[in-house]
Amino acid sequence: MTAENLPLKPALPTFAHLGATPPEDANAHPIAANWIERLALLVQQSDVPELASSLLHPEAWWRDLWALTWDLRTFHGRPAIGTFLQDRLALFGLANVVLAKAALQRPFPDVAWILVYFSFEPATGTGRGTARLVLCPDGSWRAFTVSTQLDALKGHSERIGSDHRDLSVEQGDWVERRRRELQFEKNPEVLIIGAGHSGLEVAARLKHLGVSHLIVEKNERVGDNWRHRYTNLTLHDPTWTNDMPYLPFPASWPTFPSAAKVANWLKFYVDALELNVWLSSEAIHAERNEKTDKWDVSIRRVDGTRVMHVDHVVLAHGFTFTKTEFSGQSDFHGRIVHSHEFQSAKEYVGKRVVVIGACTSAHDICSDCADHGIDVTMVQRSATYVVSIAKGVLSLLPSSEWEKTSIDELELIYHSLPLRLQWTIGARLAEQVRGLDRDMLDGLTRVGYQLSNGGADDGGVYRLFCERGGGYYLDSGACRKIIDGKIKVASGAAVECITSTGVALSDGRELPADVVVVATGFDDARVPIVRLLGAEAGAKVPPVWGLNAEGEVRGPWRELEGLPGMWLMMGTFAWARFFSKFVALQIKAKQEGLYAKRYAALVEL
């Protein structure tokens, strides 16, 4: 099967698709050991054609996470994988391939594979990998997925544990030492813009690799990016998926902690790990100095402007909210508020509120209004994917799994699956969750709420997050209020304009309002980058977020194309925990001269 005739929609390796059904008592370990032994031998012999034909299913996937490519790449089908291995094995190698463990898994009644864990050594460090072996019609077990992941750099392990702990009893004046450290009389190697969770997590990774860092944060306190949001905001992912590197959330915490609680935790994280942060400090301009190969970054502080000359800049500002403007809004006699400015519905009691938007912030704001007895209407311009937290999210991310298995192992498993294959799995899981949520979804439909099944191929919330960064709502209570009529919904029409007295829709309806809340989602992720670099340099930045031709997210966790030494760090708590490690490893490798040529995917404009 060639790349040209691979299925357009990635197929699951069902028994029907494979043409073979494994025995119930398949012995995973000897099957995995034989596959690993063959892999090691064929790599040693540089026999890529035999490796592809005998060890890989024709529709196999290989996802490499910085181990052999210094990039995040996915290759689908024997020809594409063969080309990748021919290009990179000679440069990186795949030495000392060792089986760690294996287990037969049955994720669905008609799908079974042997999940293989192995370790290996690329030229620059150590790595971990996985393979999912499926039974083929000829009786051979071949890999349907393979992943290779960089784990550490040779000679540069993380500075944690007894081997690196300071054992001296005399610590001197620690307060004075930290004060001098934070003055930065010498330039740090890395400047991180933003002290949200992404910036803090990559700073922690860099510190434990011995790379000097400084975080600049425009707010007065670490965590203000959470404190300044609406008061009823909570995390919508369970706590056990969101642990930060080196310092997990307390086991006594609620499943969905409040924004204020998270904000205080981020401040504690900085203090406990001794991360270097300048508060009330804003990076206002960055320019690449071609003579020094450094970034010259101007930082505005309360005591003046300072210019730092650094090897690397990490942009950790996250998604910025779009300030959508509507025709006629200047004539509105009431108040227009953007979602990131909204604090509490208390001040709007007795007023009529219209919220434009129908994703997470819009639902949370409407729910707050309903709790205060406010006449509130949600304008739903397009269908929304909805999944309950109690039945849906917690069934997909069960504490029984996350709290009994190491985070490292879970991340290795989850991120070994190419995103496009995850969509196919996600469609099945989404169908199961819709069954659990049927009463809620039917109730929403009855009142005119428009439901999405999660983008193309019904891929669910994960696909929407990767493609759009939004388009969904994880229900924390608003849906019941919509069904009961406490939150009114105006669906199926665009906003025509804002009049002096309310919001006019394209179907002729006009919604009277005293307050209009604009909750229209995120802006182009390049906006703050362009603001920092200037229009001319910023215009060269390729698209950020969404998926490239290989099905990988564009932009984050690598050097930005055409901007050496500038990195983008963004994502959920869980993604930031995982991908911050690779940003730090790449930067450390560059600082130590270990970084080889990146095997980068084509940039799509």
Side-chain angles (χ1 to χ4, degrees):
M1 183 173 286
T2 65
E4 287 72 22
N5 60 20
L6 284 171
L8 292 176
K9 181 179 178 180
L12 272 181
T14 62
F15 305 150
H17 185 76
L18 295 171
T21 302
E24 292 284 340
D25 59 350
N27 194 341
H29 191 272
I31 295 169
N34 178 66
W35 190 88
I36 288 290
E37 184 180 343
R38 291 278 295 154
L39 174 66
L41 177 63
L42 292 171
V43 166
Q44 185 180 22
Q45 294 173 345
S46 300
D47 194 345
V48 172
E50 177 62 20
L51 187 160
S53 64
S54 65
L55 297 185
L56 303 179
H57 185 273
E59 298 172 42
W61 302 77
W62 192 306
R63 194 181 199 203
D64 184 72
L65 299 92
W66 291 276
L68 306 178
T69 60
W70 283 119
D71 203 349
L72 180 57
R73 299 291 305 274
T74 291
F75 309 96
H76 186 203
R78 284 174 176 168
I81 295 172
T83 299
F84 147 64
L85 292 176
Q86 291 282 16
D87 290 344
R88 300 304 280 186
L89 283 181
L91 179 63
F92 274 83
L94 197 66
N96 297 326
V97 184
V98 176
L99 173 65
K101 63 179 181 177
L104 179 66
Q105 295 186 334
R106 297 184 180 274
F108 300 106
D110 59 343
V111 176
W113 53 52
I114 293 175
L115 180 58
V116 182
Y117 302 80
F118 61 92
S119 62
F120 64 97
E121 292 184 16
T124 54
T126 59
R128 297 184 298 161
T130 67
R132 290 174 176 82
L133 309 184
V134 295
L135 183 64
C136 296
D138 64 358
S140 299
W141 288 83
R142 295 185 175 90
F144 197 79
T145 71
V146 182
S147 71
T148 41
Q149 173 183 309
L150 182 64
D151 196 43
L153 298 172
K154 287 180 180 175
H156 301 284
S157 60
E158 286 185 305
R159 299 180 178 184
I160 56 177
S162 58
D163 290 342
H164 298 280
R165 188 174 286 120
D166 183 356
L167 299 177
S168 60
V169 176
E170 177 54 57
Q171 290 293 317
D173 189 340
W174 174 82
V175 173
E176 175 61 18
R177 187 167 70 248
R178 280 293 291 153
R179 187 191 67 79
R180 290 198 308 269
E181 210 175 320
L182 286 166
Q183 286 181 336
F184 276 96
E185 295 175 1
K186 292 176 60 177
N187 291 302
E189 294 169 271
V190 181
L191 182 75
I192 301 166
I193 299 175
H197 66 271
S198 290
L200 300 185
E201 290 181 76
V202 78
R205 298 285 194 185
L206 288 166
K207 175 174 181 171
H208 288 82
L209 284 173
V211 179
S212 61
H213 73 277
L214 169 63
I215 309 167
V216 292
E217 168 57 49
K218 64 182 179 181
N219 286 311
E220 294 180 1
R221 297 174 296 173
V222 171
D224 275 354
N225 59 320
W226 287 88
R227 291 188 190 93
H228 291 167
R229 298 290 307 283
Y230 46 91
T231 53
N232 67 340
L233 176 64
T234 67
L235 287 185
H236 284 192
D237 295 329
T239 308
W240 51 79
T241 68
N242 291 327
D243 284 340
M244 297 172 72
Y246 314 111
L247 200 59
F249 290 124
S252 59
W253 268 33
T255 302
F256 305 104
S258 70
K261 194 177 187 75
V262 171
N264 290 342
W265 176 263
L266 297 182
K267 172 63 169 63
F268 169 76
Y269 191 80
V270 167
D271 292 340
L273 295 186
E274 298 180 26
L275 305 181
N276 300 322
V277 182
W278 281 359
L279 296 169
S280 301
S281 302
E282 184 176 7
I284 55 176
H285 183 65
E287 187 171 352
R288 182 74 177 171
N289 189 322
E290 301 299 334
K291 293 182 180 179
T292 62
D293 283 335
K294 290 182 181 289
W295 283 96
D296 299 334
V297 185
S298 299
I299 303 166
R300 183 167 55 210
R301 307 182 66 198
V302 292
D303 57 355
T305 299
R306 180 166 170 185
V307 179
M308 286 285 189
H309 311 286
V310 297
D311 297 327
H312 303 274
V313 176
V314 177
L315 306 171
H317 42 61
F319 287 108
T320 55
F321 292 95
T322 182
K323 286 192 172 184
T324 305
E325 295 187 353
F326 297 94
S327 173
Q329 69 179 48
S330 60
D331 298 326
F332 183 55
H333 291 168
R335 181 178 176 186
I336 296 177
V337 181
H338 288 88
S339 60
H340 68 282
E341 301 165 336
F342 182 91
Q343 288 290 303
S344 171
K346 291 177 184 177
E347 57 186 293
Y348 305 125
V349 171
K351 299 183 183 296
R352 295 165 299 180
V353 177
V354 172
V355 179
I356 301 174
C359 292
T360 300
S361 294
H363 281 82
D364 286 351
I365 291 168
C366 286
S367 184
D368 192 15
C369 289
D371 287 343
H372 285 84
I374 294 170
D375 180 340
V376 59
T377 302
M378 176 190 296
V379 177
Q380 186 188 33
R381 298 173 299 164
S382 58
T384 308
Y385 178 77
V386 176
V387 58
S388 71
I389 287 178
K391 295 180 180 178
V393 172
L394 295 184
S395 71
L396 296 173
L397 300 169
S399 62
S400 59
E401 179 179 330
W402 280 82
E403 296 189 303
K404 293 181 180 178
T405 309
S406 75
I407 288 286
D408 279 350
E409 182 172 331
L410 286 169
E411 288 183 323
L412 178 65
I413 296 170
Y414 283 132
H415 291 284
S416 67
L417 280 168
L419 293 183
R420 281 189 170 151
L421 190 56
Q422 290 191 42
W423 308 155
T424 307
I425 295 172
R428 283 197 171 195
L429 296 175
E431 185 178 5
Q432 292 177 6
V433 170
R434 281 194 294 273
L436 298 174
D437 287 340
R438 180 50 54 201
D439 289 345
M440 178 185 73
L441 299 178
D442 288 347
L444 290 171
T445 301
R446 282 196 301 271
V447 297
Y449 188 101
Q450 294 186 344
L451 291 167
S452 156
N453 279 346
D457 302 326
D458 299 344
V461 64
Y462 197 40
R463 179 164 190 166
L464 286 170
F465 174 70
C466 294
E467 290 184 334
R468 296 175 47 190
Y472 56 84
Y473 171 55
L474 309 182
D475 176 46
S476 56
C479 288
R480 184 71 257 170
K481 296 167 191 174
I482 292 171
I483 295 168
D484 292 343
K486 296 177 180 178
I487 298 171
K488 293 178 285 188
V489 178
S491 298
V495 175
E496 186 74 24
C497 65
I498 294 180
T499 69
S500 61
T501 58
V503 178
L505 304 182
S506 59
D507 61 2
R509 286 178 289 175
E510 182 168 346
L511 308 174
D514 303 301
V515 179
V516 174
V517 181
V518 180
T520 50
F522 297 119
D523 209 339
D524 188 319
R526 291 173 291 184
V527 168
I529 305 175
V530 174
R531 191 180 301 127
L532 179 69
L533 298 177
E536 184 178 349
K540 301 175 184 177
V541 179
V544 170
W545 215 254
L547 303 179
N548 65 19
E550 291 181 358
E552 294 293 356
V553 176
R554 299 177 297 186
W557 321 307
R558 309 90 145 170
E559 280 182 311
L560 286 171
E561 198 68 34
L563 297 170
M566 181 163 283
W567 311 77
L568 188 58
M569 184 65 227
M570 59 196 302
T572 62
F573 271 84
W575 273 28
R577 177 188 62 240
F578 181 74
F579 287 110
S580 61
K581 176 178 180 176
F582 298 104
V583 173
L585 285 173
Q586 290 172 86
I587 290 174
K588 179 66 173 180
K590 283 188 173 269
Q591 295 303 94
E592 299 296 337
L594 298 174
Y595 192 95
K597 186 177 169 99
R598 179 179 169 197
Y599 193 52
L602 292 175
V603 176
E604 298 170 57
L605 300 177

